[in-house]
Amino acid sequence: MAVMKRALSVSFLVVLLVSLHPREARGEDGLRSLESLIHQELLPFEQGLGFPSVAPFRGDLAISDMQDGVEDVVEAWYMDDDTEGDQRLPHRRQPNDPVPLSRLLDLGVVPMRLDAENHESDANLTVIRDHRGYMDMDIVELIPEKMPNYEAMIKRFFEEHLHADEEVRYCLEGSGYFDIRDEDDRWIRVSARKGGLIIMPAGIYHRFTLDTSNYIKAMRLFSGGPDWTAYNRPHDHLPARYLSLLNTGANL
């Protein structure tokens, strides 16, 4: 079924691109041009059509280490309906409505636990980078003392958006919240603390904020150089969004 969905998804995208770019489809040169265009559009989805999977890790002895104790560094819950309060507060429902990490996997969000103290020599991090093709990385530190425009920046991060590629964040110090939409458009707050790594799939609506500690040091991983393009909602017409909905089983 999954293979059939992927085949239908690619077929849909090809037909869509042809209809949107009819001139490129004319003649031999046009076909080559269209082939290049299709490759560019599908490039973000070549690894599982842009949907993270733990399947490549199965059978690897290191993966058990990445899953052990993940609940200690990554926690998730459904958010309350308070849209006016401080975004840095937990915003738990009353009573609390926890989200098991297996539920995050259903949405394509992959949480892991790594050794943040030794991230420069961590073999498990090397395994992840090799399997997912994360060739590039950088490290950012968000803290009011080092960011004169701190309040404006965290409000900018908190705008709901999506990306055409995976977003990978590894918390080396401090903590923060990654909010994601489920298939019914409800907000799930994902708390990441030191040692927590989160892979978010292309096309999922999400946002980020620090918590009340106002500090995080995070590693960002990329599969071909950093692409900061954020598509603020609504951008439901993007191929990445269509595939995200398809993979979660949401109504299209």
Side-chain angles (χ1 to χ4, degrees), residues 33-50:
S33 174
L34 182 62
E35 182 182 53
S36 175
L37 178 65
I38 290 172
H39 173 73
Q40 292 174 15
E41 292 292 333
L42 294 181
L43 186 60
F45 315 113
E46 285 183 348
Q47 295 183 359
L49 288 180

Side-chain angles (χ1 to χ4, degrees), residues 163-175:
H163 300 288
D165 204 352
E166 296 176 357
E167 180 169 322
V168 189
R169 298 295 182 265
Y170 176 17
C171 182
L172 302 177
E173 295 179 15
S175 52

Side-chain angles (χ1 to χ4, degrees), residues 70-119:
V70 67
E71 296 85 357
D72 296 332
V73 294
V74 179
E75 182 186 5
W77 59 86
Y78 277 106
M79 296 183 68
D80 61 24
D81 298 321
D82 179 10
T83 59
E84 302 298 328
D86 189 340
Q87 67 192 51
R88 288 166 284 198
L89 295 174
H91 288 281
R92 295 178 186 268
R93 291 181 177 180
Q94 297 299 327
N96 186 40
D97 191 0
V99 175
L101 298 187
S102 59
R103 179 76 178 91
L104 297 183
L105 291 174
D106 292 340
L107 297 171
V109 178
V110 182
M112 296 182 183
R113 180 176 185 171
L114 299 177
D115 182 4
E117 288 288 349
N118 301 292
H119 65 272

Side-chain angles (χ1 to χ4, degrees), residues 124-154:
N124 286 342
L125 178 59
T126 301
V127 169
I128 294 174
R129 294 186 67 175
D130 288 346
H131 275 290
R132 299 302 300 175
Y134 303 140
M135 297 295 102
D136 300 300
M137 56 79 68
D138 66 6
I139 294 177
V140 295
E141 195 172 23
L142 304 181
I143 187 171
E145 290 77 9
K146 295 185 178 181
M147 299 176 64
N149 57 344
Y150 176 78
E151 293 294 334
M153 286 298 295
I154 65 170

Side-chain angles (χ1 to χ4, degrees), residues 228-241:
W228 304 121
T229 305
Y231 300 95
N232 286 352
R233 190 167 189 175
H235 265 85
D236 295 338
H237 64 284
L238 293 180
R241 181 58 183 164

